[in-house]
Amino acid sequence: MIEATFVSFVPKKKSDLLRQTLSTEDTGELRWRERRTFFGSEFYFTGPPELARKAQIYVTRWLIT
């Protein structure tokens, strides 16, 4: 199976909420990991390319709102 990884930078203000949401949801084939930085976190989404990209787009739109 082909996999892809996409990254989203999430500011500290929203990192806790995203981490909590991802931890409680069944993400199926999508795997995620977090790399914390001084100003926030980088969330890496790995899985089927289309699914990983959709997750990254969803997080980006969520950050804008």
Side-chain angles (χ1 to χ4, degrees), residues 10-59:
V10 180
K12 276 189 178 183
K13 289 181 184 179
K14 292 195 172 188
S15 291
D16 289 340
L17 182 57
L18 181 58
R19 184 183 320 106
Q20 180 182 8
T21 301
L22 290 170
S23 296
T24 58
E25 293 294 320
D26 177 15
T27 57
E29 295 179 316
L30 183 69
R31 296 183 316 278
W32 66 275
R33 66 183 174 88
E34 177 184 10
R35 182 177 165 267
R36 294 182 186 185
T37 65
F38 187 72
F39 295 106
S41 294
E42 293 173 345
F43 284 85
Y44 295 81
F45 301 99
T46 301
E50 194 171 308
L51 181 60
R53 178 68 177 140
K54 283 181 181 179
Q56 193 257 352
I57 290 170
Y58 180 83
V59 169

